[in-house]
Amino acid sequence: MTASSIPLQSDLLPEALDISFKLVPAILVLAMLGLFLTIGFVFRVADTDNMWVAGRSIGNLENGMAIGANWMSAASYLGMAASIALAGFYGLVFVVGWTTGYFILLIFLAAQLRRFGKYTAADFVGDRFNSDTARAIAAVTTFLIGFVYAIGQAKGMALVSLYIFGDYGGLIPGLDGYQVMVVFMMTITVGYLTLSGMMGATKNQAVQYTILIIAFVAGLYAVGWTQGYSTVLPQLEYGALISQLGTEFSEPFASSSYYLWVATTFSLIVGTCGLPHVLVRFYTVESERTARWSTVWGLFFICILYWSAPAFAAFGTDLYSQNVGATYGDPGMASAASEVIVVLAAQLAELPQWFVGLVAAGGIAAAIATVAGLFIAGSSAISHDIYTNIINEDATQRQQILVGRLSIVALGVLTTLAALNPASSIAALVGYAFSLAGSVLFPMFFLGMWWENANRQGALAGMSTGLTLWSIPMINQIVPTYIGSLEAPLSTGLATWMPAIGSALITLPVVFAVTIVVSMATDEPSLETKRVVRQCHSPEPMAQQESAEDVVAADGGEDVVTDGGRAPNDAGVDGGRITDDAGVGGRTDDDNASTEE
């Protein structure tokens, strides 16, 4: 069924995928989308606590499921299997990188972030380094990560939706079928997020995880059993297929260099530890113990899919070779087909149409769950960190929520426009966001939490360096794809040694060094700031709504000199600020006292 004859973009047309309207899968997906909207409406928010951190009321199992859904995006559900199908051993870079990072989070950051007790990633940076400038850089980085990351999710949703709803090219004038699906799915996603905030998103993510993991694992077992690939555990038995799939699948680094594999793995690991939509999950829980256990549960839920993705890639690759054509060589499997290999495998296995629709629905649920986390993190960076903490310190909760919702809409529009003609594969698009997070935010979280002498000047120098270095390979490899007169990459040598998807291998050590050197060359942070950092490592439990700053402020301490960032001992004063230039827009506690009166 089609709306007109506008052809799909040739490079986005998955060969062999049945692109036609399917009634039962369509009903299934529309019901799922309706459920998400309903949950968002039921748990709609009216205050900032529920909007940004779900009232710090989420338990470890529910938060673990939310972490799993938040994490298992279209890049995990679709893109990871696609990379393994096309690049074989090299594709395992995503399995290794995306799981190893959680061990670092578990050991070094989860409980400590919960004890610091903020709303957003930029909140931590701004308050730990007592700097509105650092807060603004972190907020802009958060927004940029959400934008880049979400492009891959929009692409994944649209490709899978083509299988379910068919090609409606021309339904929106000038847009082909893929682009129509991008607009449709992003509209639904933005709609429920503007209603729900973090509370509704968390409730939805628990449901979305259930849907996506059932769809993925059931699809894997059904394909394995019906095609004779497996009897009990396809996650182990797929190894018998490897010798039949060619050296491109089984030989290490047959399709890429060892250096690229190492660089990408490193970027994915440290990027995991700096992603704002992951870090904010630790602010939503009841206690630091819950933060640790929710990380453990989240890793377990993630690994269920990650253990299964290589098997799905092997089954899909073999079915493609049998039914469509050679997977490798010239022409071989196109990138578009690989990106729906999970759905394509179920279709080529001749499973019932409704069942293939269930597998496809899981991909949509995965993408929507991740977009939810990204957009909540991005909107909170704009509303809470820039608007409320920098532009309008007296903003009411109604104003903050309004700005947050407008930010979600803005992110949705930008993502939709970029996803209409995406520059790279789903996994690569996500990889660029990881490199950014690993280059800019992770060093600030790690040093800020584990080295009490890291100061404002060091943080500003480090973050500026990270942003600059990350942008160089992006300009070299990605920007030219949007400019018809340029050929990517601009410099082959730079692309080889500083690839966009793995640039953190170069940028992270430089950012660490710059931050440390500048911090050592300038004044140490105040004793008050150091005490807050120490409190984050205290074994003493804290109350559900309590933060390290609250404990230190109640204990007494010295004032903190900042460039506009909120002083730790002002945690209990609405809008109270101490700056190093009170005459230029900064306010002191005395100013607040007179204002309050």
Side-chain angles (χ1 to χ4, degrees), residues 80-112:
M80 189 161 57
S83 295
I84 296 171
L86 278 187
F89 184 91
Y90 172 77
L92 294 177
V93 67
F94 298 101
V95 178
V96 175
W98 284 340
T99 51
T100 305
Y102 271 91
F103 289 98
I104 298 176
L105 282 174
L106 174 62
I107 297 169
F108 294 106
L109 292 176
Q112 291 77 12

Tab-separated table of all heavy atoms in Angstrom, residues 80-112:
chain	number	residue	atom	x	y	z
A	80	MET	N	23.722	-3.228	16.352
A	80	MET	CA	24.790	-4.116	16.777
A	80	MET	C	24.801	-5.390	15.946
A	80	MET	O	25.858	-5.832	15.468
A	80	MET	CB	24.631	-4.445	18.261
A	80	MET	CG	25.801	-5.195	18.861
A	80	MET	SD	25.831	-5.066	20.658
A	80	MET	CE	24.225	-5.727	21.068
A	81	ALA	N	23.636	-5.987	15.748
A	81	ALA	CA	23.548	-7.169	14.889
A	81	ALA	C	23.957	-6.819	13.461
A	81	ALA	O	24.590	-7.619	12.760
A	81	ALA	CB	22.134	-7.740	14.917
A	82	ALA	N	23.609	-5.595	13.020
A	82	ALA	CA	23.984	-5.156	11.678
A	82	ALA	C	25.494	-5.095	11.532
A	82	ALA	O	26.064	-5.543	10.520
A	82	ALA	CB	23.368	-3.785	11.382
A	83	SER	N	26.163	-4.529	12.524
A	83	SER	CA	27.627	-4.411	12.466
A	83	SER	C	28.294	-5.774	12.479
A	83	SER	O	29.280	-6.004	11.766
A	83	SER	CB	28.131	-3.574	13.645
A	83	SER	OG	27.663	-2.253	13.555
A	84	ILE	N	27.775	-6.695	13.280
A	84	ILE	CA	28.347	-8.040	13.330
A	84	ILE	C	28.100	-8.754	12.003
A	84	ILE	O	28.975	-9.459	11.483
A	84	ILE	CB	27.756	-8.837	14.506
A	84	ILE	CG1	28.157	-8.185	15.836
A	84	ILE	CG2	28.234	-10.286	14.482
A	84	ILE	CD1	27.448	-8.768	17.047
A	85	ALA	N	26.915	-8.574	11.417
A	85	ALA	CA	26.605	-9.219	10.142
A	85	ALA	C	27.536	-8.740	9.033
A	85	ALA	O	28.021	-9.537	8.215
A	85	ALA	CB	25.150	-8.948	9.762
A	86	LEU	N	27.798	-7.447	8.977
A	86	LEU	CA	28.623	-6.895	7.904
A	86	LEU	C	30.119	-7.018	8.187
A	86	LEU	O	30.901	-7.257	7.266
A	86	LEU	CB	28.285	-5.412	7.685
A	86	LEU	CG	27.062	-5.084	6.833
A	86	LEU	CD1	26.985	-3.589	6.589
A	86	LEU	CD2	27.087	-5.825	5.495
A	87	ALA	N	30.511	-6.824	9.448
A	87	ALA	CA	31.937	-6.763	9.767
A	87	ALA	C	32.421	-7.923	10.627
A	87	ALA	O	33.597	-7.971	10.970
A	87	ALA	CB	32.248	-5.441	10.478
A	88	GLY	N	31.535	-8.852	10.972
A	88	GLY	CA	31.943	-10.019	11.727
A	88	GLY	C	32.571	-9.674	13.056
A	88	GLY	O	31.991	-8.962	13.881
A	89	PHE	N	33.789	-10.142	13.268
A	89	PHE	CA	34.477	-9.977	14.544
A	89	PHE	C	34.531	-8.518	14.971
A	89	PHE	O	34.371	-8.201	16.150
A	89	PHE	CB	35.891	-10.549	14.436
A	89	PHE	CG	36.670	-10.532	15.712
A	89	PHE	CD1	36.632	-11.615	16.575
A	89	PHE	CD2	37.436	-9.438	16.068
A	89	PHE	CE1	37.346	-11.600	17.765
A	89	PHE	CE2	38.152	-9.409	17.255
A	89	PHE	CZ	38.106	-10.501	18.103
A	90	TYR	N	34.770	-7.628	14.014
A	90	TYR	CA	34.880	-6.214	14.362
A	90	TYR	C	33.597	-5.713	15.036
A	90	TYR	O	33.652	-4.862	15.927
A	90	TYR	CB	35.165	-5.367	13.129
A	90	TYR	CG	35.093	-3.879	13.415
A	90	TYR	CD1	36.133	-3.233	14.075
A	90	TYR	CD2	33.977	-3.127	13.071
A	90	TYR	CE1	36.068	-1.889	14.373
A	90	TYR	CE2	33.900	-1.781	13.357
A	90	TYR	CZ	34.948	-1.166	14.004
A	90	TYR	OH	34.872	0.165	14.305
A	91	GLY	N	32.444	-6.232	14.637
A	91	GLY	CA	31.179	-5.789	15.207
A	91	GLY	C	31.073	-6.047	16.693
A	91	GLY	O	30.273	-5.409	17.385
A	92	LEU	N	31.878	-6.969	17.216
A	92	LEU	CA	31.856	-7.248	18.652
A	92	LEU	C	32.388	-6.080	19.468
A	92	LEU	O	32.293	-6.086	20.696
A	92	LEU	CB	32.670	-8.513	18.958
A	92	LEU	CG	32.111	-9.822	18.390
A	92	LEU	CD1	33.058	-10.973	18.700
A	92	LEU	CD2	30.726	-10.114	18.953
A	93	VAL	N	32.955	-5.093	18.795
A	93	VAL	CA	33.435	-3.903	19.496
A	93	VAL	C	32.308	-3.273	20.309
A	93	VAL	O	32.527	-2.756	21.415
A	93	VAL	CB	34.018	-2.884	18.484
A	93	VAL	CG1	32.942	-2.313	17.586
A	93	VAL	CG2	34.741	-1.757	19.195
A	94	PHE	N	31.082	-3.332	19.791
A	94	PHE	CA	29.950	-2.723	20.494
A	94	PHE	C	29.537	-3.550	21.703
A	94	PHE	O	29.152	-3.004	22.739
A	94	PHE	CB	28.783	-2.542	19.523
A	94	PHE	CG	29.105	-1.619	18.383
A	94	PHE	CD1	29.420	-2.117	17.132
A	94	PHE	CD2	29.127	-0.246	18.574
A	94	PHE	CE1	29.746	-1.261	16.082
A	94	PHE	CE2	29.452	0.610	17.533
A	94	PHE	CZ	29.761	0.098	16.298
A	95	VAL	N	29.605	-4.874	21.583
A	95	VAL	CA	29.284	-5.736	22.721
A	95	VAL	C	30.280	-5.489	23.855
A	95	VAL	O	29.899	-5.319	25.021
A	95	VAL	CB	29.315	-7.222	22.302
A	95	VAL	CG1	29.040	-8.118	23.507
A	95	VAL	CG2	28.296	-7.494	21.200
A	96	VAL	N	31.565	-5.453	23.532
A	96	VAL	CA	32.609	-5.270	24.537
A	96	VAL	C	32.560	-3.868	25.136
A	96	VAL	O	32.556	-3.686	26.359
A	96	VAL	CB	33.998	-5.539	23.914
A	96	VAL	CG1	35.107	-5.233	24.935
A	96	VAL	CG2	34.108	-6.970	23.431
A	97	GLY	N	32.509	-2.852	24.268
A	97	GLY	CA	32.557	-1.472	24.746
A	97	GLY	C	31.350	-1.086	25.564
A	97	GLY	O	31.483	-0.430	26.618
A	98	TRP	N	30.173	-1.492	25.114
A	98	TRP	CA	28.946	-1.035	25.764
A	98	TRP	C	28.640	-1.770	27.057
A	98	TRP	O	27.762	-1.355	27.811
A	98	TRP	CB	27.774	-1.156	24.800
A	98	TRP	CG	27.782	-0.069	23.761
A	98	TRP	CD1	28.430	1.117	23.825
A	98	TRP	CD2	27.080	-0.071	22.512
A	98	TRP	NE1	28.191	1.866	22.696
A	98	TRP	CE2	27.368	1.156	21.875
A	98	TRP	CE3	26.253	-0.981	21.861
A	98	TRP	CZ2	26.846	1.498	20.620
A	98	TRP	CZ3	25.734	-0.654	20.620
A	98	TRP	CH2	26.038	0.580	20.003
A	99	THR	N	29.304	-2.866	27.325
A	99	THR	CA	29.095	-3.547	28.609
A	99	THR	C	30.204	-3.216	29.611
A	99	THR	O	29.934	-3.036	30.801
A	99	THR	CB	29.028	-5.079	28.425
A	99	THR	OG1	30.174	-5.512	27.672
A	99	THR	CG2	27.765	-5.481	27.694
A	100	THR	N	31.438	-3.105	29.141
A	100	THR	CA	32.558	-2.840	30.052
A	100	THR	C	32.376	-1.518	30.789
A	100	THR	O	32.721	-1.398	31.971
A	100	THR	CB	33.885	-2.822	29.275
A	100	THR	OG1	34.025	-4.046	28.554
A	100	THR	CG2	35.058	-2.647	30.230
A	101	GLY	N	31.828	-0.520	30.098
A	101	GLY	CA	31.630	0.781	30.724
A	101	GLY	C	30.791	0.716	31.981
A	101	GLY	O	30.998	1.514	32.924
A	102	TYR	N	29.862	-0.239	32.055
A	102	TYR	CA	28.982	-0.318	33.231
A	102	TYR	C	29.731	-0.781	34.477
A	102	TYR	O	29.325	-0.474	35.600
A	102	TYR	CB	27.790	-1.227	32.931
A	102	TYR	CG	26.645	-0.457	32.329
A	102	TYR	CD1	26.538	-0.319	30.954
A	102	TYR	CD2	25.718	0.185	33.124
A	102	TYR	CE1	25.518	0.415	30.390
A	102	TYR	CE2	24.692	0.928	32.572
A	102	TYR	CZ	24.599	1.044	31.205
A	102	TYR	OH	23.598	1.788	30.652
A	103	PHE	N	30.804	-1.531	34.297
A	103	PHE	CA	31.594	-1.918	35.467
A	103	PHE	C	32.289	-0.702	36.071
A	103	PHE	O	32.416	-0.579	37.289
A	103	PHE	CB	32.619	-2.986	35.074
A	103	PHE	CG	32.009	-4.326	34.772
A	103	PHE	CD1	31.760	-4.723	33.470
A	103	PHE	CD2	31.651	-5.178	35.800
A	103	PHE	CE1	31.180	-5.946	33.196
A	103	PHE	CE2	31.063	-6.406	35.544
A	103	PHE	CZ	30.832	-6.797	34.231
A	104	ILE	N	32.753	0.205	35.211
A	104	ILE	CA	33.357	1.449	35.707
A	104	ILE	C	32.298	2.283	36.422
A	104	ILE	O	32.544	2.838	37.501
A	104	ILE	CB	33.984	2.235	34.544
A	104	ILE	CG1	35.098	1.417	33.901
A	104	ILE	CG2	34.523	3.583	35.037
A	104	ILE	CD1	35.719	2.061	32.682
A	105	LEU	N	31.109	2.368	35.837
A	105	LEU	CA	30.017	3.095	36.488
A	105	LEU	C	29.691	2.500	37.852
A	105	LEU	O	29.506	3.218	38.834
A	105	LEU	CB	28.767	3.065	35.601
A	105	LEU	CG	28.719	4.016	34.411
A	105	LEU	CD1	27.483	3.741	33.562
A	105	LEU	CD2	28.709	5.464	34.875
A	106	LEU	N	29.616	1.182	37.903
A	106	LEU	CA	29.265	0.495	39.148
A	106	LEU	C	30.292	0.764	40.239
A	106	LEU	O	29.943	1.070	41.383
A	106	LEU	CB	29.161	-1.010	38.891
A	106	LEU	CG	28.943	-1.908	40.111
A	106	LEU	CD1	27.623	-1.585	40.790
A	106	LEU	CD2	28.995	-3.375	39.706
A	107	ILE	N	31.572	0.695	39.888
A	107	ILE	CA	32.634	0.804	40.890
A	107	ILE	C	32.924	2.251	41.269
A	107	ILE	O	33.107	2.582	42.451
A	107	ILE	CB	33.925	0.125	40.361
A	107	ILE	CG1	33.681	-1.369	40.151
A	107	ILE	CG2	35.089	0.348	41.324
A	107	ILE	CD1	34.796	-2.063	39.391
A	108	PHE	N	32.949	3.146	40.284
A	108	PHE	CA	33.487	4.484	40.521
A	108	PHE	C	32.461	5.616	40.576
A	108	PHE	O	32.784	6.689	41.086
A	108	PHE	CB	34.524	4.829	39.448
A	108	PHE	CG	35.758	3.988	39.502
A	108	PHE	CD1	35.969	3.000	38.555
A	108	PHE	CD2	36.699	4.164	40.498
A	108	PHE	CE1	37.114	2.214	38.587
A	108	PHE	CE2	37.842	3.387	40.551
A	108	PHE	CZ	38.054	2.403	39.589
A	109	LEU	N	31.251	5.422	40.049
A	109	LEU	CA	30.390	6.589	39.906
A	109	LEU	C	28.962	6.440	40.430
A	109	LEU	O	28.376	7.428	40.877
A	109	LEU	CB	30.327	7.004	38.423
A	109	LEU	CG	31.619	7.560	37.816
A	109	LEU	CD1	31.438	7.828	36.327
A	109	LEU	CD2	32.051	8.836	38.528
A	110	ALA	N	28.358	5.268	40.362
A	110	ALA	CA	26.921	5.136	40.635
A	110	ALA	C	26.538	5.667	42.018
A	110	ALA	O	25.715	6.585	42.142
A	110	ALA	CB	26.497	3.673	40.486
A	111	ALA	N	27.105	5.091	43.059
A	111	ALA	CA	26.741	5.505	44.423
A	111	ALA	C	27.195	6.934	44.705
A	111	ALA	O	26.497	7.704	45.376
A	111	ALA	CB	27.351	4.544	45.438
A	112	GLN	N	28.369	7.290	44.203
A	112	GLN	CA	28.903	8.627	44.461
A	112	GLN	C	28.023	9.718	43.837
A	112	GLN	O	27.782	10.766	44.443
A	112	GLN	CB	30.332	8.738	43.917
A	112	GLN	CG	31.366	7.914	44.670
A	112	GLN	CD	31.320	6.437	44.321
A	112	GLN	OE1	30.677	6.034	43.352
A	112	GLN	NE2	31.991	5.620	45.110
